[in-house]
């Protein structure tokens, strides 16, 4: 069992290499073991490309040649962090491939909740007479795909709240002045996060006062879709959030209009259940995860609605003595770490 856990951890380590590229697919890692050595491994390609199992098989072919690798497969164990798919989507079913190559054993981290898979991939493999084990490092496998599981099970994106606050609990100056709280290292880390998530959201005040571009320019990776809550369309077309670096979706009370990089979506009864309505619209657009970055009122709206999954809070050593109080969130503290002189606290919402 310890050996199974070791190889499954390797699957998880591989899976995260797909962060920011596989959505709305899950992140999956696969490892093929023959006589106690790894002969092939892989992770899910960018969306539309081969899945982890296919890439692991291809890796084995490259290392040993197709003919010899196929012989090895009949004695080999393949470890996969998520149940192999059972349906034709962008690619053929991975479960069928494992059956075709007659693997001796298949070890699965956790089952896939997607209706077209959800136990069906496992059944295909079992019906072929292949020995199977399910549930190795199950909670870790589920956690690695918490974005995917949230979208499938709750019909909304995974919501990450993010802000910085002073040591005495202030979020921003009272006079709408732009003033940085966190340090340069924290700022770069935030840009890394942006490259890993599908979308990032701010409200009108943040767009007007800070004029953010909301890109991942300080990190190598894709830019997220930019989401703006702007009830009365006050943010001018010249704002940085409307540049050509990424698509911007504007939720408002007046107009629906879709252009190449700017999409206006009018919501009826605008203030009513606003976080819920926005997240459902984004779910329909296959957006799997979102960072809610500000301002304080926007963050608090998601907190008050109870619709958040993770909060990432930078606490600087600055003392302001006055200003706009930071949002208040109750969650389970997962980790605390140093980022330069800042302290980063990550909390999980156990009631979401």
């Amino acid at each position: 069992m310890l050996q199974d856990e070791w190889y499954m951890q390797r699957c998880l380590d591989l899976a995260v290499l797909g962060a920011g590229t596989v959505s709305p697919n899950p992140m999956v890692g696969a490892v093929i073991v023959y006589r106690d050595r790894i002969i092939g491994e892989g992770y899910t390609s960018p969306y539309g490309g081969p899945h982890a199992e296919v890439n692991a098989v291809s890796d084995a072919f490259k290392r040993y040649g197709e003919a010899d690798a196929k012989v090895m497969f009949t004695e080999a164990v393949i470890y996969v962090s998520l149940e192999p798919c059972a349906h034709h989507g962008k690619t053929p079913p991975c479960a069928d491939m494992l059956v075709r190559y007659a693997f001796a054993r298949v070890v699965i981290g956790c089952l896939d909740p997607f209706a077209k898979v959800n136990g069906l991939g496992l059944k295909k493999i079992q019906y072929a007479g292949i020995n199977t084990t399910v549930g190795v490092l199950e909670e870790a496998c589920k956690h690695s795909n918490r974005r995917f599981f949230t979208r499938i099970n709750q019909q909304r994106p995974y919501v990450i709240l993010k802000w910085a606050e002073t040591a005495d609990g202030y979020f921003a100056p009272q006079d709408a002045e732009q003033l940085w709280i966190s340090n340069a290292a924290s700022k770069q880390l935030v840009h890394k996060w942006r490259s890993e998530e599908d979308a990032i959201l701010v409200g009108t005040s943040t767009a007007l006062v800070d004029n953010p571009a909301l890109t991942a320019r300080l990190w190598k990776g894709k830019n997220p879709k930019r989401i703006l809550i702007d009830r009365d369309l006050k943010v001018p077309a010249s704002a940085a959030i409307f540049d050509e670096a990424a698509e911007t979706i504007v939720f408002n009370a007046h107009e629906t209009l879709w252009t190449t990089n700017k999409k206006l979506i009018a919501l009826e009864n605008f203030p009513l259940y606003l976080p819920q309505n926005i997240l459902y619209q984004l779910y329909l657009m296959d957006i799997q995860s979102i960072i809610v970055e500000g301002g304080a009122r926007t963050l608090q709206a998601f907190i008050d609605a109870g619709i958040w999954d993770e909060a990432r809070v930078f606490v600087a050593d600055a003392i302001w003595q006055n200003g706009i109080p930071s949002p208040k969130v109750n969650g389970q503290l997962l980790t605390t770490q140093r980022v330069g002189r800042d302290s980063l606290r990550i909390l999980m919402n156990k009631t979401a």
Side-chain angles (χ1 to χ4, degrees):
M1 187 61 181
L2 288 176
Q3 185 180 49
D4 284 351
E5 291 180 354
W6 193 93
Y7 288 123
M8 189 59 69
Q9 184 58 56
R10 177 59 183 166
C11 290
L12 291 171
D13 294 341
L14 289 166
V16 298
L17 297 177
T21 65
V22 304
S23 179
N25 281 340
M27 296 185 296
V28 182
V31 173
I32 302 172
V33 178
Y34 171 75
R35 296 183 181 177
D36 296 326
R37 75 176 189 272
I38 294 174
I39 63 168
E41 57 184 19
Y43 58 93
T44 303
S45 300
Y47 181 64
H51 291 183
E53 301 94 318
V54 175
N55 287 333
V57 166
S58 297
D59 185 38
F61 287 168
K62 290 176 184 176
R63 295 190 195 193
Y64 299 98
E66 185 170 342
D68 287 346
K70 285 180 178 179
V71 173
M72 291 178 179
F73 291 164
T74 62
E75 296 183 38
V77 182
I78 183 166
Y79 293 83
V80 190
S81 56
L82 186 70
E83 178 184 6
C85 61
H87 66 293
H88 283 270
K90 296 281 186 181
T91 60
C94 291
D96 290 358
M97 180 191 70
L98 302 187
V99 170
R100 184 169 68 253
Y101 290 135
F103 279 89
R105 182 171 173 240
V106 177
V107 180
I108 298 168
C110 63
L111 297 181
D112 187 334
F114 184 50
K116 292 183 178 180
V117 184
N118 201 6
L120 299 178
L122 174 62
K123 286 180 180 178
K124 281 189 173 188
I125 295 166
Q126 290 176 330
Y127 287 164
I130 296 174
N131 184 17
T132 59
T133 301
V134 180
V136 176
L137 298 185
E138 183 173 15
E139 290 306 312
C141 290
K142 287 180 178 179
H143 183 75
S144 73
N145 270 316
R146 57 197 183 277
R147 296 160 181 81
F148 175 74
F149 276 61
T150 298
R151 183 175 68 87
I152 297 299
N153 293 330
Q154 300 188 42
Q155 290 79 55
R156 65 166 177 83
Y158 184 85
V159 177
I160 300 168
L161 310 179
K162 173 264 162 184
W163 72 86
E165 62 184 48
T166 64
D168 52 350
Y170 292 105
F171 177 86
Q174 287 283 6
D175 57 5
E177 175 190 2
Q178 184 183 29
L179 190 62
W180 287 105
I181 297 175
S182 56
N183 61 40
S186 296
K187 184 177 181 181
Q188 186 178 41
L189 178 58
V190 168
H191 283 230
K192 175 181 181 293
W193 292 342
R194 290 176 181 178
S195 74
E196 295 170 345
E197 310 302 339
D198 287 352
I200 183 167
L201 180 149
V202 296
T204 306
S205 296
T206 298
L208 290 173
V209 173
D210 295 344
N211 193 29
L214 302 181
T215 61
R217 59 194 177 278
L218 298 181
W219 193 263
K220 184 179 180 180
K222 69 171 181 61
N223 292 322
K225 294 181 187 294
R226 300 174 293 199
I227 315 300
L228 173 63
I229 303 175
D230 188 11
R231 175 175 181 162
D232 297 314
L233 299 174
K234 293 181 179 179
V235 179
S238 59
I241 199 170
F242 294 130
D243 66 18
E244 297 298 312
E247 178 182 312
T248 302
I249 301 167
V250 185
F251 289 99
N252 68 93
H254 304 285
E255 184 179 5
T256 295
L257 178 66
W258 290 56
T259 58
T260 303
N261 263 5
K262 183 177 179 181
K263 295 176 171 59
L264 305 181
I265 300 177
L267 298 177
E268 294 183 13
N269 303 314
F270 186 84
L272 190 64
Y273 300 113
L274 184 59
Q276 293 91 330
N277 287 333
I278 287 174
L279 292 179
Y280 185 65
Q281 291 295 323
L282 297 179
Y283 161 76
L284 295 176
M285 299 167 75
D286 274 341
I287 290 177
Q288 187 158 263
S289 62
I290 185 169
I291 300 173
V292 180
E293 189 156 306
R297 183 178 174 183
T298 299
L299 285 159
Q300 198 64 50
F302 282 84
I303 294 169
D304 291 345
I307 307 179
W308 65 278
D309 299 286
E310 188 175 327
R312 301 175 181 178
V313 184
F314 291 101
V315 182
D317 56 8
I319 302 291
W320 283 5
Q321 297 184 339
N322 61 69
I324 298 173
S326 64
K328 304 301 179 187
V329 62
N330 291 318
Q332 179 180 333
L333 182 62
L334 188 64
T335 62
T336 301
Q337 63 189 73
R338 301 297 297 183
V339 183
R341 296 181 64 179
D342 294 342
S343 175
L344 171 61
R345 302 171 70 239
I346 299 181
L347 302 97
M348 305 297 292
N349 184 0
K350 292 302 182 181
T351 63

